[in-house]
């Protein structure tokens, strides 16, 4: 996993958009973003490591999502646009990359800059509830990810706006960032 500031240049969202300024792991942690690298292996030994993290963080459910042009067909472009809209969730967003690669962009508070996180096979990333973020594939146009959930699987994006800014989960997130 590699993190850096998004360059804000126009162009395809699936390009690197690397400003050349890296973001260190401790800066991500100060935003509440956690990460691990757990290599995917043919013997499925990685499952034990994922299970351990799931127990420690109280994740009770999981599923797998495949995002490909072939798999999504006509809905592919619309789905990518939806994932790339700035939003937050009222629950953590947990993804373990089984194959392929993509980008999670998170808003750095309080400056509102985009931090781009390039995730690849074996990366596990946890975005805290209340953080504004977005997702896109990279130029490989494929990602297979395990999604983990604290409770029943749900994925409800709340697009950024005045109502979302007033959401109690957003306020809790901002308080946690201010405490760092």
């Amino acid at each position: 996993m590699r993190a850096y500031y998004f360059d804000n240049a126009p162009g395809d969202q699936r390009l690197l958009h690397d400003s050349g300024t890296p973001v260190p792991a401790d800066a991500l942690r100060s935003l509440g973003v956690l990460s691990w690298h757990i290599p995917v292996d043919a013997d499925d030994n990685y499952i034990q490591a994922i299970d351990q993290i799931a127990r420690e963080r109280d994740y009770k459910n999981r599923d797998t999502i495949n995002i490909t042009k072939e798999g999504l067909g006509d809905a592919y472009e619309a789905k990518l646009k939806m994932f790339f809209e700035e939003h937050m969730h009222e629950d953590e967003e947990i993804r373990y990359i089984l194959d392929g690669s993509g980008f999670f962009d998170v808003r750095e508070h309080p400056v509102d800059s985009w931090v781009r996180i390039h995730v690849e096979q074996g990366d596990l990333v946890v975005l805290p509830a209340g953080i504004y973020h977005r997702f896109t594939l990279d130029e490989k146009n494929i990602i297979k990810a395990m999604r983990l959930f604290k409770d029943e699987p749900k994925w409800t994006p709340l697009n950024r706006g005045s109502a979302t800014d007033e959401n109690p989960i957003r306020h809790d997130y901002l308080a946690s960032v201010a405490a760092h």
Side-chain angles (χ1 to χ4, degrees):
M1 188 181 89
R2 187 169 73 88
Y4 52 88
Y5 286 101
F6 187 81
D7 67 7
N8 291 313
D12 189 334
Q13 67 198 35
R14 291 169 271 207
L15 299 176
L16 284 176
H17 287 281
D18 189 345
S19 67
T21 305
V23 175
D26 61 332
L28 287 177
R29 281 191 298 279
S30 73
L31 296 174
V33 176
L34 305 176
S35 65
W36 295 262
H37 184 77
I38 304 165
V40 176
D41 63 332
D43 296 326
D44 291 343
N45 293 319
Y46 66 92
I47 294 292
Q48 293 174 346
I50 299 295
D51 288 346
Q52 178 63 34
I53 292 168
R55 281 190 299 277
E56 290 170 4
R57 298 192 57 78
D58 200 27
Y59 302 148
K60 298 177 186 80
N61 291 296
R62 63 184 75 172
D63 67 10
T64 301
I65 185 170
N66 286 294
I67 303 172
T68 65
K69 190 175 273 191
E70 297 76 25
L72 294 175
D74 292 341
Y76 176 77
E77 291 297 332
K79 283 284 189 189
L80 278 186
K81 284 182 184 175
M82 181 186 76
F83 294 151
F84 202 63
E85 286 187 44
E86 185 174 1
H87 63 278
M88 63 162 253
H89 302 285
E90 292 181 332
D91 298 308
E92 290 181 342
E93 182 163 333
I94 308 101
R95 301 292 182 267
Y96 176 63
I97 310 307
L98 295 162
D99 194 19
S101 49
F103 300 107
F104 284 96
D105 297 339
V106 297
R107 282 289 188 187
E108 182 182 35
H109 183 77
V111 295
D112 230 21
S113 298
W114 281 115
V115 173
R116 176 153 272 198
I117 304 167
H118 193 198
V119 292
E120 299 178 294
Q121 184 182 61
D123 290 335
L124 173 67
V125 65
V126 177
L127 303 183
I131 193 171
Y132 283 126
H133 67 282
R134 60 190 184 189
F135 173 79
T136 191
L137 296 174
D138 62 14
E139 291 182 279
K140 295 176 186 170
N141 289 316
I142 182 173
I143 200 162
K144 180 179 180 182
M146 179 187 298
R147 304 185 303 175
L148 294 100
F149 305 92
K150 288 201 180 251
D151 293 306
E152 289 302 311
K154 69 177 180 177
W155 188 85
T156 306
L158 303 172
N159 289 344
R160 188 170 186 175
S162 57
T164 310
D165 286 342
E166 296 306 317
N167 184 300
I169 301 296
R170 175 71 180 159
H171 283 275
D172 290 348
Y173 169 72
L174 293 175
S176 73
V177 172
H180 282 109

